[in-house]
Amino acid sequence: MTTEHTVDDIASRLLAMRAGDLPTHGGRTLAYVYDSGIAEADALGREALAAYGATNGLDPTAFPSLLTMERDLVAFARPLLHAPETAVGTVTSGGTESILLAVQTARDANPQVARPAMVVPTTIHAAFHKAAHYFGVERISVPVDPVTFRADPAAMAAALADHADRVVLVAASAPSYAHGVVDPIPEIAAAAGAHGVRFHVDACIGGWVLPWLERDGLAPTPWDFAVDGVTSISADLHKYAYTPKGVSLLLHRTPALRRAQFFASADWPGYTMLNATMQSTKSGGPLAAAWAVVTYLGDEGYHRLARTAHDGARALAAGAADIDHLTVAAEPDTTLVAVTTDDACDVFTLSDAMLDRGWFVQPQMAYDALPPSLHLTVSAATAPLVPEFLESLRAAVAEAVAAGPVVVDPQLRAAAQALDPTTLDDAAFDGLLGLAGLAGDGGSVAVPSRMAPVNALLDAAPPALREALLVAFLDRLTR
Ligand SMILES: *Cc1c(COP(=O)(O)O)cnc(C)c1O
């Protein structure tokens, strides 16, 4: 076939575009990506992804291979999560979809509840906020313990008791994304169980690590289906199972608990739509890739990888705690580390200084009583680089301290705190994006090379304004 561009030309343009992204491999990107450091596993995953890219999970009877692989993955996960014989599972496109489905299922299993609500700790992943928003389930957020960052089971039980007639779901994390700590699952389960309410454990990021840490006596247990009252668990394979993006597992304790997750419609002239997930047509690629990688790495491989990442996270946390101006928010329960800084060291300047040194670390803004912090997701491939990481961190802290804190113009700070985003029009947002340093050429927006001034301003803004500004930014970015 003749086209305007040759295959080689397009392939090299793809590569050239990728060069501007964060690296997905090599262990220097400590958020968004997960690297086992095992090249054969990656290659296998890519091959499976390509081989199954055009298959369609819309109809499992038409592509029985996909059903087989889904059942195999669920079967692999069940003993890891101490699931009973009755447990069932679904492969979804990611953690968010697993969580959306858990919330939607809880809501739809309780049609008698007119104003459904869920009780969650403030550290629950924002995917639950999205679920609340999409499905009209009120989110009752309960502050976590400000010292341990763990959910407060007594406060959650009280919230549950206050709204017992309409709470359809309780959720907690194993571990939380922001601080990497496992919530007190047995205590929360007892409260949920006492009210006969479903309890979802969000193990999106810990579900493929904790089972192996448990074997080494390193996990805060029990946290999974071993706890009576845990009714569902989400565990992402595209995180610590090191599979290509687009795969998570959602397990329910019984088929009855899952039933409302399924959707069927025969009320149109086409095929009867019958879905277990939110997507209808869905590529079998990510599922096949996950099946291949999980089969290849297997129980032993994951045991080693979990231990490597965990030990790396512990070493990183211990090293960071030794650096002046830094505090480790909580001893890591799994493979995530959150680091806070003192007033002399600006968190956002520090993350820029790390990027200059070739490390991506993720800034997290202040929230409630919780200070801003750096989030570090430690992959197996990062573990051997921890000494080098700590050297860079020490130098970056010195640089940030020397630079001094980012000063947000006091007037701008006052304005940010007083603005009601619901009253702002498009022109006002254009002006604000300019003030925030996000203006590009000709009314467009651009990502600046130094994020610290932007982050410092956003950090000073209340969450509702942060959300509105970032939505306005995304809107313009995608015009
Ligand atoms: C990653 C994550 C999610 C959301 O998953 P996505 O795959 O990004 O949609 C939910 N909860 C926790 C704890 C996570 O780490």
Side-chain angles (χ1 to χ4, degrees), residues 367-403:
Y367 177 79
D368 249 7
L370 312 175
S373 56
L374 292 183
H375 168 99
L376 312 167
T377 289
V378 180
S379 285
T382 301
L385 307 180
V386 164
E388 194 192 330
F389 177 88
L390 290 170
E391 225 173 277
S392 296
L393 188 60
R394 200 176 282 280
V397 166
E399 184 186 318
V401 170

Side-chain angles (χ1 to χ4, degrees), residues 257-281:
L257 284 164
R258 181 177 66 174
R259 187 71 42 82
Q261 181 189 309
F262 293 156
F263 178 81
S265 180
D267 194 16
W268 74 308
Y271 59 86
T272 295
M273 184 187 269
L274 176 62
N275 303 141
T277 64
M278 307 193 71
Q279 291 181 306
S280 198
T281 284

Side-chain angles (χ1 to χ4, degrees), residues 199-291:
F199 178 27
H200 181 88
V201 175
D202 177 8
C204 279
I205 203 156
W208 229 250
V209 172
L210 283 164
W212 291 281
L213 297 184
E214 181 185 339
R215 281 193 215 160
D216 293 349
L218 292 168
T221 51
W223 66 273
D224 58 14
F225 285 116
V227 180
D228 270 349
V230 171
T231 53
S232 57
I233 295 179
S234 49
D236 294 352
L237 300 183
H238 62 202
K239 289 178 180 161
Y240 282 98
Y242 299 106
T243 74
K245 297 282 184 245
V247 195
S248 169
L249 283 170
L250 172 61
L251 274 81
H252 286 278
R253 187 180 280 278
T254 66
L257 284 164
R258 181 177 66 174
R259 187 71 42 82
Q261 181 189 309
F262 293 156
F263 178 81
S265 180
D267 194 16
W268 74 308
Y271 59 86
T272 295
M273 184 187 269
L274 176 62
N275 303 141
T277 64
M278 307 193 71
Q279 291 181 306
S280 198
T281 284
K282 59 181 171 187
S283 172
L287 165 61
W291 184 89

Side-chain angles (χ1 to χ4, degrees), residues 34 94-97 99 125 127 175-177 202 204-205 236 238-239:
Y34 302 78
T96 298
E97 190 181 20
I99 288 164
H125 193 280
S176 62
Y177 183 85
D202 177 8
C204 279
I205 203 156
D236 294 352
H238 62 202
K239 289 178 180 161

Side-chain angles (χ1 to χ4, degrees), residues 15 18-19 21-47 49 237-239 241-245 293 297 305 358-360 377 379-385:
L15 275 179
R18 273 287 291 119
D21 297 344
L22 285 174
T24 56
H25 290 78
R28 298 176 76 96
T29 306
L30 282 82
Y32 305 127
V33 301
Y34 302 78
D35 182 7
S36 67
I38 301 173
E40 312 87 84
D42 291 338
L44 189 59
R46 280 195 303 274
E47 273 166 39
L49 192 63
L237 300 183
H238 62 202
K239 289 178 180 161
Y242 299 106
T243 74
K245 297 282 184 245
V293 172
L297 293 173
L305 288 164
W359 302 94
F360 179 82
T377 289
S379 285
T382 301
L385 307 180

